[in-house]
Structures are given as C-alpha cells and as structure tokens.
C-alpha cells in the first residue's frame, strides 16, 4: 500500500545542505503496525511527512495504493490526505481559536458529516481520551498531555485507512500513554495501517515491525524481506 | 530557598472552575534535585510556572530565598527571573525569527555579556548539546529534539541558581535524553537547585527526591519531613 523507492529530501540553510532523507526505500502493507525509531534528527518526522503527503521528496518514487502520488498537484494531495490519512503531529498543530471539541470535529466538518452525527462522534472521542470536562477549553487552556490527546482524537475520529503518529505519547504519563496506545492498536484490528514514530523502546517493541533510522537512512528493518 | 504555603491556582472557563493547584505546600532547599511526577493534567506545569514566577497564585504564600515574592510587581518578578531562574518549557517557546545560536544567546544579551564572551559561551553550549552544525537553523528548520536541546541550552547558559525543567527529554531518544540529563545533573554538583517535571519514572528515580501530584495536590513526597 505504501511503496517508497529511493526517496531523497534535502533542505538548504545558508550554504549548508542537510540530507534529511537519503535514499529511503520501504514497503508497508495494508494493516501493518510499524514503529519508526532512531536518534533525534535522524529523519523520522520528515519521513512521516513524506508518507503523509505533507511534504514532497526531491527525488524518488512513492506509490500509495498503487498510485504514483509524486505526480499529483496540491489539490490532489489534499484530497487523498483528507480521505485516507490521519496525522498526529509531534507538536499537535491544533487550531488555537477552536475548543477541544471543535478541533476534534474539524475532519468531520470537512467530510460533510451532519451536525447531529458529528456531536455524538465527538462526544465519544472526548470520553475515550478522558477529555469530557475539557471539551470547551481552547488549546492554551489545556495541559500538554491534554493537547496531545486532542490531536490524537482529531486524527482518529474518521478512522482513516492510514494513521501516522509522530511521538503520540511524548507528553503523557505512563498510564495515560498506554491507554492511548491501546486505542490506536484497536484501530489496527479494524485493518488500519499504523505507522508510529516513537522514542520509547517499550512502545516500539509492541509494533509488529521496527524500522530504525540514522542520518536520513533506514539502517535496520525487522520486516524487510530482502 | 523555595517555600510554598497553601498555594491555590484556579482557572475559569465558561462557567466551569478548574483547580489547577489546590492547597500546595512545599519546601525545596538550595541545591536540591527534585522530580515532580503525576498524571497528565495534575498541575505539574502550573506548579513549575508558579515557582518560576511566570504565574501568580490566587492564594497562598511563596518565599524565594526568604523573600515574599507574591508582593512584587511585574518588573520585580522579571528581575528575579532573569537573574536567578532558568526555565525549560514543555513546548520550548523559542523565538521563531532567531537562529539556534541567537536563541541560546538571548539570556547573555539580556545580562549585558560582551559579544566576544557571548560567542564563546554559545559555542560551548552548541557543542555540549550536539547542535554545532545546526547553529544557524531557525526553530522551524530543526527537528523536535533539536528544538528541545536549544531550549535547554538557553535555560542553562547563565547557570542560574534555580533550574526548572518541564519534561526536558520528552522529544529525545534514550541516548540523547541521558546525555542531556547528565548535563543538567552536573549543574547540581555546582549547587544549582534542579526541579524537573518528568513522565519517565526511570528519570524520576535519579532525583534525590520525588514529589507526586494528582488533581492539583501533592499526594506523595519522598522528601517531606513531617
Ligand atoms: N525545514 C528544515 N530546514 C532545514 N533542515 C531541516 C528542516 N526540517 C528538518 N531539518 C533537519 O533534517 C533533519 C531531520 O529532521 P526530522 O525532524 O525528520 O528529525 P527527527 O528524526 O524527527 O528528530 P526528533 O527525534 O528530534 O524529532 C534534522 O537534522 C533537522 O535539523
Ligand atoms: N489557562 C488555563 N485555563 C484553564 N484551565 C487550565 C489552564 N491551564 C491549565 N489548565 C488546566 O489545569 C490543569 C493542570 O494543568 P497543567 O498544565 O499544570 O498539567 P500538567 O500536570 O502539566 O499536565 P501534562 O502532564 O499533561 O503536561 C489541567 O487540567 C488543565 O486543563
Ligand atoms: Mg521528529
Ligand atoms: Mg505539563
């Protein structure tokens, strides 16, 4: 379903060139549960953004469900993102002026879900993530871990085919973190593909497959068939 | 050195009142190394902000080095913060338009340190935190863990008497996280008071004293003398 070949992503700062991704090739099949790990700065977030169609590679090929997505224009990418991909950002990117409930509702609004159905779906998400008495709080009125949970609820509320999670428990205590991971793993039982970046080796071990990165490359892959 | 008695901090959202801190009393002596732990939303960041003079309690008393700081005006608080307190924020609060090097230099500029001395202090901090080839990058050109390290470098560059760290390793891999913790702990050898909020029980155990919070209260304190 996710097929990357020779992916390169470079950034230029001043006269310095950073190879955030250097020749990454990868296959992730439908419904797979993959952990991506590696040192700070090794390219994990960049890889997740390329997979999530939020960033275009400078070279290489990316086929999503058999389709070459590198040839799509911005509208084409936005359409696929909205219908197939849920993204949990490392730093959440919540809408500052919207309440927790309205942030979670956003994908439902964009999908044209009717208000009554939206309200019940959002209520269920708030309950699942322990946010029921924070529904009206805006992000700046929430703790770090509460914001993280709003970001996770927003990304999962449409049960997307592909769920990309960048450090989803980085701001959560152990117990809350495990509750969240159980919710995400329950989605894989429904056939959702889950790709999780994590610094926590204990969380990484729970995935069926572990990919390790260093300096923009995949240096280890427990699921590689070669 | 840090003496809190009956500290209350309430937030009002709509018609709901949140008791972020409910009757917190605490003594932290000079040079102590304390970990603050507890579930998401339990009041850890709020407590750290009150201690760091970034937030005023609604009730209760706070003496810092014997002085009642609740009676100070904003300028008075700013003066003490700048001269005595280093704060590592849960979400960093770096200046978007400044490079990593200039973000780290900020406390030195505010303290009137001469440019030549500043440059050597900043160079040493960049090296210590593995950021030498990211000196010119702005925050949006850095990975999550790189931003976190810039925030830590900025807070420690003046070797403040009190260092307050809110989840300083939340975005760091294990190895980088331990390097950072070793740097922070080395500061306690110089007599600096270190108060660290952490979700990582393994990091919490390294502190000489562990304080646990729940629902805005201190529910456990391994260092309490009563
Ligand atoms: N916009 C940018 N401009 C320049 N360099 C960038 C940019 N974004 C990322 N980088 C660099 O690319 C490298 C990979 O960044 P990335 O955010 O993917 O790392 P990461 O593995 O997610 O790290 P972390 O674990 O710290 O979050 C880093 O060294 C970073 O400095
Ligand atoms: N500005 C605010 N307005 C309203 N409520 C707030 C505000 N700031 C914090 N709160 C609430 O106060 C409580 C404590 O927040 P705090 O940020 O101190 O928690 P925390 O222990 O740091 O949590 P985390 O581990 O998730 O970072 C939370 O329930 C939060 O929703
Ligand atoms: Mg990252
Ligand atoms: Mg917090």
């Amino acid at each position: 379903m996710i097929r990357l070949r020779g992916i390169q992503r470079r950034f230029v700062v001043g006269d310095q060139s950073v190879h955030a991704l250097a020749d990454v090739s990868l296959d992730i099949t439908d419904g797979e549960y993959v952990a991506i790990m590696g040192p700070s700065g090794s390219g994990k977030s960049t890889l997740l953004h390329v997979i999530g169609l939020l960033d275009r590679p400078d070279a290489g090929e990316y086929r999503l469900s058999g389709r070459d997505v590198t040839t799509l224009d911005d509208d084409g990418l936005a359409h696929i993102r909205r219908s197939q991909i849920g993204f949990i950002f490392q730093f959440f990117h919540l809408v500052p002026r919207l309440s927790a409930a309205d942030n979670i509702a956003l994908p439902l609004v964009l999908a044209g879900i009717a208000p009554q159905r939206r309200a019940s779906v959002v209520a269920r998400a708030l309950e699942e993530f322990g946010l029921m008495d924070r529904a009206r709080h805006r992000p700046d009125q929430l703790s770090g871990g509460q914001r993280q949970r709003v970001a996770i609820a927003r990304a999962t509320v449409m049960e997307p085919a592909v769920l990309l999670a960048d450090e989803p428990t980085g701001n959560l205590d152990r117990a809350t973190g495990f509750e969240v991971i159980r919710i995400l793993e329950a989605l894989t039982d429904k056939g959702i593909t889950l790709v999780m970046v994590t610094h926590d080796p204990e969380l990484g071990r729970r995935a069926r497959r572990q990919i390790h990165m260093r300096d923009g490359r995949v240096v280890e892959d427990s699921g590689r068939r070669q």
Side-chain angles (χ1 to χ4, degrees), chain A:
Chain A
M1 123 159 282
I2 290 168
R3 184 180 182 277
L4 305 176
R5 288 291 180 274
I7 295 293
Q8 312 263 353
R9 182 68 176 104
R10 282 180 297 277
F11 293 109
V12 178
V13 176
D15 56 2
Q16 182 197 6
S17 185
V18 178
H19 290 261
L21 296 175
D23 203 28
V24 171
S25 299
L26 196 53
D27 287 291
I28 298 175
T29 51
D30 285 16
E32 235 186 325
Y33 176 10
V34 187
I36 298 181
M37 307 170 71
S40 174
S42 55
K44 306 178 299 294
S45 294
T46 305
L47 177 58
L48 220 62
H49 275 68
V50 167
I51 293 173
L53 306 181
L54 291 161
D55 196 14
R56 290 175 186 275
D58 298 306
E61 190 187 293
Y62 176 12
R63 290 190 172 275
L64 178 61
S65 308
R67 178 183 190 177
D68 184 352
V69 289
T70 51
T71 58
L72 294 176
D73 65 8
D74 288 355
D75 286 341
L77 292 179
H79 175 78
I80 297 183
R81 277 200 310 266
R82 227 164 256 186
S83 55
Q84 295 192 36
I85 299 172
F87 205 111
I88 301 162
F89 294 90
Q90 190 167 3
F91 299 109
F92 322 150
H93 297 316
L94 300 180
V95 180
R97 279 178 305 129
L98 296 183
S99 67
D102 288 342
N103 264 284
I104 295 168
L106 216 38
L108 304 170
V109 172
L110 295 173
I113 308 289
Q116 206 158 355
R117 168 133 185 82
R118 253 171 23 218
S120 75
V121 170
V122 169
R124 181 155 171 260
L126 288 166
E127 184 181 6
E128 216 175 8
F129 290 97
L131 296 166
M132 295 204 62
D133 45 2
R134 294 290 180 271
R136 292 240 173 97
H137 288 228
R138 289 186 320 267
D140 64 314
Q141 297 171 318
L142 295 172
S143 78
Q146 289 164 349
R147 288 177 211 170
Q148 187 150 41
R149 281 177 272 158
V150 172
I152 295 166
R154 179 182 66 180
T156 52
V157 78
M158 291 277 291
E159 295 192 351
V162 179
L163 182 59
L164 306 174
D166 202 343
E167 309 281 352
T169 63
N171 285 282
L172 299 174
D173 57 284
R174 214 169 178 68
T176 313
F178 278 117
E179 281 170 40
V180 159
I181 291 301
R182 272 196 297 274
I183 295 168
L184 298 182
E185 291 178 348
L187 291 171
T188 65
D189 299 337
K190 295 185 182 186
I192 285 170
T193 305
L194 174 58
V195 184
M196 184 186 310
V197 168
T198 181
H199 282 311
D200 188 338
E202 198 172 330
L203 285 184
R205 273 194 290 275
R206 294 173 71 104
R208 221 123 305 146
R209 172 183 177 191
Q210 291 79 28
I211 290 173
H212 288 265
M213 295 187 70
R214 182 159 38 239
D215 298 327
R217 296 173 185 277
V218 172
V219 297
E220 214 184 298
D221 184 348
S222 70
R224 216 195 313 249
R225 286 137 200 262
Q226 312 146 13

